[in-house]
Amino acid sequence: MSAQIIDGKAFAAALRGRIALQVASFRDAAARAPGLAVVLVGEDPASAVYVRNKGKATLAAGMASFEYRLPADAEQADVLALVQTLNADPAVDGILVQLPLPPQIDERVVLMAIDPDKDVDGFHPVNAGRLATGLYGFVPCTPLGCVMLLKEQLGDLAGLEAVIIGRSNIVGKPLAQLLIGENCTVTVAHSKTRDLSTIVKRADIVVAAVGRAAMIRGEWIKPGATVIDVGINRTEDGLVGDVDFNGAASVAGAITPVPGGVGPMTIACLLRNTLVSAYRRAGLKLDMATL
Ligand code: NAD
């Protein structure tokens, strides 16, 4: 193995430490804690774990955590009513509705109902539009975490050739916007892309966000490239990413492991977005350089 392993867990822990310091300053200035509300509809076990971890991390950072659970047969109107209550609640700076939602609920309608200025997941079309046009808004947490890791590893990303595999609204598309903003030359590959291996081969930065175990082969990677593996796949061998880790690690310059790479950054960036929201809503200035 020649690649450097990018320790997302350590980077995320350090970021959470810096966030906690700013939370303490906020509490002094605003006489309240930044608040994150998480809504879970139904009993999906993976979602329940995510929600529990988010709640724990929120409290550990010194923020207030509000958790709302609705039954799997909740109606769309119930979810919308809860979102409206949270939109109006001054103690809530961030609202996150855990996806996926049960089939009787239209995800898009629910995401549209969240106040864009409390949309710390960055999924509201207003925030997607802000990101696409370079305006100030909330950036989805996973792509934000990917870019933080890339800048920590590589410094200035200008001019680098970036290939993103996956075009979802929560990872691939916002990541493409962020990397364009960093002056990369960006290619977004997807399920209909032809000759994926040739496209990946030219990348200085490869980001895999597909959800298929080890589909990105080591021999596709350009020697020295930086590989960010967003994928989380449960297999008989445990959790693995979308990249054939051993194969890629023998040629890449640096690579994120799964678990311990992008995953911890997602939660840290959620806390970061909630902190930013709290400062903004209170009219206080947050020095972003401290994050
Ligand atoms: P998604 O299912 O919404 O999108 C998958 C994308 O992969 C699609 O755009 C599709 O076009 C593309 N794709 C499918 N088959 C392909 C193929 N053969 N070749 C090229 N592209 C192909 O997924 P998502 O929500 O973006 O998540 C992707 C992965 O990232 C999943 O494993 C998910 O669990 C993981 N994820 C991890 C985090 C984290 O915090 N680490 C956060 C979000 C998602």
Side-chain angles (χ1 to χ4, degrees):
M1 184 184 303
S2 65
Q4 191 186 329
I5 306 302
I6 300 173
D7 190 345
K9 201 170 165 189
F11 188 84
L15 175 58
R16 282 163 55 168
R18 298 194 295 275
I19 289 168
L21 291 176
Q22 297 302 328
V23 169
S25 304
F26 179 87
R27 292 173 71 131
D28 288 345
R32 69 174 183 90
L36 174 64
V38 179
V39 177
L40 175 62
V41 186
E43 316 284 336
D44 178 61
S47 294
V49 171
Y50 291 142
V51 165
R52 198 164 55 240
N53 289 343
K54 285 167 187 170
K56 270 195 223 157
T58 307
L59 294 174
M63 299 186 187
S65 169
F66 310 104
E67 218 174 283
Y68 296 88
R69 284 168 186 264
L70 296 178
D73 61 356
E75 288 181 27
Q76 182 163 299
D78 302 330
V79 184
L80 291 176
L82 176 55
V83 167
Q84 293 306 345
T85 305
L86 297 173
N87 282 344
D89 186 340
V92 171
D93 299 293
I95 302 170
L96 181 156
V97 177
Q98 184 66 44
L99 303 178
L101 290 168
Q104 74 277 14
I105 298 170
D106 186 336
E107 202 166 284
R108 291 164 306 176
V109 173
V110 172
L111 294 181
M112 291 264 274
I114 297 172
D115 178 348
D117 293 328
K118 292 189 176 187
D119 169 40
V120 285
D121 251 345
F123 295 160
H124 192 290
V126 165
N127 283 318
R130 285 170 172 161
L131 176 60
T133 52
L135 293 174
Y136 202 53
F138 290 113
V139 174
C141 304
T142 302
L144 181 57
C146 292
V147 172
M148 285 181 143
L149 290 179
L150 283 168
K151 287 170 81 169
E152 170 76 4
Q153 185 66 28
L154 297 170
D156 187 9
L157 307 182
L160 295 180
E161 188 80 53
V163 172
I164 301 163
I165 306 117
R167 58 176 161 185
S168 71
N169 288 339
I170 61 174
V171 188
K173 280 186 208 160
L175 182 59
Q177 298 294 352
L178 286 172
L179 290 178
I180 290 169
E182 296 295 331
N183 298 308
C184 291
T185 303
V186 179
T187 303
V188 180
H190 48 75
S191 53
K192 305 286 184 218
T193 294
R194 281 180 275 167
D195 202 3
L196 184 59
S197 60
T198 304
I199 292 169
V200 170
K201 191 87 200 174
R202 66 171 189 245
D204 304 305
I205 294 170
V206 179
V207 184
V210 178
R212 289 182 60 172
M215 72 161 282
I216 309 295
R217 313 304 310 164
E219 56 272 22
W220 300 1
I221 306 294
K222 177 163 94 172
T226 301
V227 179
I228 305 289
D229 193 348
V230 180
I232 301 174
N233 305 291
R234 279 162 228 281
T235 70
E236 285 172 0
D237 304 329
L239 279 191
V240 301
D242 289 345
V243 179
D244 158 29
F245 182 82
N246 290 331
S250 64
V251 273
I255 186 167
T256 57
V258 177
V262 175
M265 289 301 292
T266 298
I267 291 192
C269 288
L270 175 66
L271 301 179
R272 182 185 187 272
N273 282 352
T274 305
L275 178 73
V276 168
S277 179
Y279 270 85
R280 254 189 234 163
R281 295 183 60 254
L284 296 168
K285 191 169 157 27
L286 173 62
D287 181 2
M288 295 302 283
T290 58
L291 295 178

